[in-house]
Amino acid sequence: DVSPVVAGLIGATVLVVSVSVTVFVWTCCHQQAEKKHKTPPYKFIHMLKGISIYPETLSNKKKIHRIRRDKDGAAKEPGRGNLLLDAAESGLVGSEKAPDGPGAAPHVDQLPIKVDYGDELSPDQSLTPGGSKTSSPSSPGDEVLLGELTFSVDYNFPKKALVVTIQEAHGLPVMDEHSQSSDPYIKMTILPDKRHRVKTRVLRKTLEPLFDETFTFYGIPYSQLQDLVLHFLVLSFDRFSRDDVIGEVMVPLAGVDPSTGKVQLTREILKRNIQKCISRGELQVSLSYQPVAQRMTVVVLKARHLPKMDITGLSDPYVKVNVYYGRKRIAKKKTHVKKCTLNPVFNESFIYDIPADLLPDISIEFLVIDFDRTTKNEVVGRLILGAHSVTAAGVEHWREVCDNPRKAVAKWHSLSEY
């Protein structure tokens, strides 16, 4: 027998639990229904084989893929003289590390690293190790077939959206000598604003990738299509270092009319043009080498004519200095941020311990970056001095520093696109 009081308590408890469960279930169902009808928080929707998904966080990195060559024009031995310069993180040598022993290259300890002000665009923009894979795609002056890219362009008038489908690629070069294959994927950007950046998934061990991925870009009026350019960057994923750049495809939409329906195009993949961007400003740097102390002094003096990066028409620039030995970054340092200026004066010096016998394989990268407190910092331009300089002025500056020890050599250099 149960007393009336206990029975009443049990009944009240069951009632409260039942009401609570009912309210909880109703709330979850209501929230789920709201999510289904909610406007997508992204400017584009990624369609992977017909299934709508939201894209993962995309990287803005850009890279430059090239091969260092000897004076006689022959490519250097694979695995040597290649750089990986990344504005956010350094590349590491993986399976192609030099063996330890008497003949191994001298070891360079990592130098002290200053605290970062923020994350830079990695950049998409930097040198990548090409010699360890294949020297063909980037050898200057060589007629090398890099394959073809097939894609389609369409326009959705009711939604004012540009629809680009990356279908497949054919005849890609071998970027991994071990597997005699590649791990290709594609990054796409709409120029000139560079606001829309997307990338496909990586397809493993294939030279004939079938992507079949659709990207929808909202908020693009049809009247502006004629002013836009589609930029496809074809890369090969590398597990142990930075990804290799195979080539690029530039498609001006001025010659494409998707008003009557989907337009399918096939374009040849070309070697990336690392000097395609001008008017990135200039940077003045000074270098001097002390052979007795085996120290390199790098002074970031000033910059001028930098592009406007903020809505105020100014920028908040600083310079990141990366030092590379072969493919490995051994030091990184930064200047202070100069607020609201397009002609900053830095006058900051950095000292690096570099043995004289390592100088032929040393490269110094200068990244001019616009600091932003609310969003990611954006790379304005870059300069490389040393073994992997891509300009005649950079090669001459480095040669003059090596030929004149204990003398500070200061010069202006035009910044290239990252």
Side-chain angles (χ1 to χ4, degrees):
D1 294 337
V2 180
S3 65
V5 177
V6 176
L9 292 175
I10 295 176
T13 303
V14 172
L15 179 61
V16 171
V17 171
S18 301
V19 172
S20 300
V21 171
T22 303
V23 172
F24 176 76
V25 172
W26 180 85
T27 303
C28 293
C29 294
H30 184 68
Q31 292 179 352
Q32 190 69 19
E34 285 185 347
K35 288 183 179 179
K36 291 183 178 180
H37 296 87
K38 189 177 181 180
T39 303
Y42 295 90
K43 294 182 179 179
F44 58 88
I45 293 180
H46 184 190
M47 303 294 294
L48 175 58
K49 291 187 176 181
I51 302 175
S52 298
I53 63 174
Y54 292 123
E56 299 174 355
T57 302
L58 302 178
S59 171
N60 292 334
K61 294 188 289 184
K62 290 184 180 177
K63 303 180 181 70
I64 298 174
H65 179 230
R66 65 189 299 271
I67 296 295
R68 182 184 172 190
R69 304 178 71 86
D70 295 329
K71 295 181 179 179
D72 58 359
K76 290 193 69 176
E77 178 184 357
R80 291 183 55 82
N82 298 290
L83 273 183
L84 166 63
L85 303 188
D86 193 295
E89 56 184 351
S90 62
L92 301 177
V93 179
S95 58
E96 299 151 1
K97 290 183 179 179
D100 296 333
H107 177 68
V108 181
D109 293 329
Q110 185 170 351
L111 301 182
I113 298 174
K114 293 178 69 176
V115 177
D116 294 348
Y117 293 112
D119 296 328
E120 301 82 30
L121 302 180
S122 49
D124 310 242
Q125 322 261 341
S126 311
L127 294 175
T128 60
S132 60
K133 309 291 180 180
T134 176
S135 60
S136 297
S138 303
S139 299
D142 293 346
E143 294 296 333
V144 179
L145 298 178
L146 301 179
E148 294 181 340
L149 177 65
T150 301
F151 58 95
S152 64
V153 180
D154 196 2
Y155 189 79
N156 189 322
F157 285 92
K159 297 182 179 180
K160 294 184 179 180
L162 177 66
V163 182
V164 180
T165 300
I166 302 177
Q167 297 174 347
E168 56 188 356
H170 294 289
L172 298 182
V174 174
M175 304 302 291
D176 189 347
E177 292 182 352
H178 298 287
S179 63
Q180 287 298 306
S181 185
S182 298
D183 299 324
Y185 70 98
I186 296 176
K187 290 184 178 181
M188 195 193 80
T189 307
I190 298 182
L191 303 178
D193 294 337
K194 297 184 180 181
R195 290 183 303 168
H196 304 283
R197 301 172 184 264
V198 296
K199 64 180 178 180
T200 67
R201 68 196 188 282
V202 177
L203 298 183
R204 303 288 182 176
K205 297 183 180 180
T206 177
L207 301 180
E208 307 287 334
L210 179 62
F211 297 103
D212 191 20
E213 299 191 39
T214 299
F215 299 92
T216 303
F217 303 92
Y218 293 95
I220 300 180
Y222 181 78
S223 58
Q224 295 182 3
L225 289 185
Q226 302 299 313
D227 300 328
L228 302 180
V229 177
L230 300 182
H231 177 245
F232 300 91
L233 188 64
V234 186
L235 305 103
S236 178
F237 175 77
D238 192 322
R239 184 182 302 275
F240 302 105
S241 61
R242 293 303 92 193
D243 302 338
D244 295 326
V245 176
I246 296 176
E248 67 178 356
V249 176
M250 303 285 289
V251 183
L253 294 182
V256 180
D257 185 13
S259 60
T260 58
K262 181 182 297 185
V263 179
Q264 183 164 327
L265 303 170
T266 299
R267 293 290 186 269
E268 183 180 354
I269 300 173
L270 305 177
K271 184 174 67 174
R272 190 181 186 192
N273 181 10
I274 59 178
Q275 297 295 339
K276 63 184 177 182
C277 184
I278 58 176
S279 302
R280 308 302 298 179
E282 296 178 285
L283 180 67
Q284 186 183 40
V285 296
S286 172
L287 279 72
S288 64
Y289 185 72
Q290 303 293 331
V292 177
Q294 296 190 340
R295 289 182 177 178
M296 175 73 73
T297 301
V298 179
V299 183
V300 180
L301 297 172
K302 51 188 175 180
R304 63 188 180 189
H305 310 316
L306 297 181
K308 302 174 182 179
M309 305 300 293
D310 299 336
I311 58 176
T312 59
L314 298 173
S315 297
D316 300 322
Y318 69 95
V319 179
K320 181 176 181 179
V321 184
N322 294 322
V323 180
Y324 287 82
Y325 170 63
R327 293 173 54 190
K328 184 176 182 179
R329 181 171 64 180
I330 60 176
K332 63 175 182 178
K333 295 187 178 182
K334 295 181 180 182
T335 68
H336 292 84
V337 178
K338 301 299 179 179
K339 296 289 186 178
C340 301
T341 178
L342 300 179
N343 301 280
V345 177
F346 299 102
N347 283 334
E348 297 189 40
S349 61
F350 308 99
I351 299 177
Y352 305 96
D353 295 325
I354 302 177
D357 56 343
L358 299 185
L359 281 181
D361 292 319
I362 292 293
S363 293
I364 303 177
E365 179 194 45
F366 300 87
L367 292 173
V368 180
I369 303 170
D370 176 48
F371 175 76
D372 197 316
R373 192 176 298 276
T374 58
T375 61
K376 281 190 175 182
N377 301 335
E378 186 172 356
V379 179
V380 176
R382 65 198 294 267
L383 165 67
I384 300 177
L385 300 179
H388 292 79
S389 178
V390 296
T391 63
V395 173
E396 176 63 23
H397 193 174
W398 187 260
R399 184 196 61 79
E400 190 172 343
V401 171
C402 296
D403 293 345
N404 298 274
R406 294 177 294 277
K407 177 183 177 181
V409 182
K411 288 188 177 183
W412 283 98
H413 294 275
S414 298
L415 297 172
S416 62
E417 187 178 20
Y418 42 91

